[in-house]
Amino acid sequence: MQPSGQASATRVPIGSDADLSWVRQQVRQCAATLGFGLVQQTKLVTAASELARNTLVHGGGGHAEITPLDDGRARGLRMSFVDSGPGIRDLELAMTDGYTSGGGLGLGLSGARRLVQEFSVDTEPGRGTTVTAVAWVTQVPSSRSGLG
């Protein structure tokens, strides 16, 4: 997968609650431009919101990189959330629904993973964390004619 030759990545700093809103706006705008449907846009914004909040709360801040993709057959969106925080000590546990280290519902990472087609976490204690989520534009199935 390659970034689109016509569009470039947008880097958004994450250092405060106000930045989370900016991340959501950038993701929604980019997704709409790429042709994601409203439901897909909502899923992407929800995933971005969870991952940006994790970057702020657990990573001590960092940045998001929002990149339009075009592999020649499909368009998509890659969102990377990068921090230099303490890292995730037990990634498998952190990906478990209900596990939380911050008093939340424990659905941030696992929930975000369910909302996209590709998901990866690069983390190491003391080195920080990069979470990357990719979604591809899918077409809404057309209605079946002749049924009814």
Side-chain angles (χ1 to χ4, degrees), residues 51 54 58 87-101 105-114 119 121 123 129 131:
L51 297 173
N54 283 352
H58 301 292
I88 301 171
R89 187 174 307 267
D90 186 338
L91 182 58
E92 186 174 338
L93 181 60
M95 294 297 297
T96 304
D97 283 347
Y99 172 79
T100 181
S101 63
L105 296 174
L107 297 172
L109 274 177
S110 60
R113 179 176 57 182
R114 285 191 291 270
F119 190 86
V121 180
T123 187
T129 301
V131 179

Side-chain angles (χ1 to χ4, degrees), residues 49-117:
S49 184
E50 292 293 337
L51 297 173
R53 179 159 296 287
N54 283 352
T55 300
L56 178 63
V57 172
H58 301 292
H63 71 272
E65 191 169 291
I66 303 158
T67 308
L69 302 173
D70 186 345
D71 72 356
R73 295 171 295 163
R75 288 173 291 158
L77 179 66
R78 179 176 52 224
M79 307 181 294
S80 294
F81 297 84
V82 180
D83 70 61
S84 300
I88 301 171
R89 187 174 307 267
D90 186 338
L91 182 58
E92 186 174 338
L93 181 60
M95 294 297 297
T96 304
D97 283 347
Y99 172 79
T100 181
S101 63
L105 296 174
L107 297 172
L109 274 177
S110 60
R113 179 176 57 182
R114 285 191 291 270
L115 295 171
V116 297
Q117 284 103 358

Side-chain angles (χ1 to χ4, degrees), residues 10-55:
T10 300
R11 185 178 171 133
V12 182
I14 300 172
S16 70
D17 284 339
D19 294 333
L20 303 182
S21 177
W22 186 240
V23 168
R24 288 189 292 267
Q25 289 176 353
Q26 291 297 307
V27 167
R28 182 170 301 279
Q29 182 178 10
C30 188
T33 299
L34 288 166
F36 282 92
L38 187 57
V39 171
Q40 289 179 303
Q41 289 176 38
T42 301
K43 289 179 179 180
L44 286 169
V45 169
T46 300
S49 184
E50 292 293 337
L51 297 173
R53 179 159 296 287
N54 283 352
T55 300

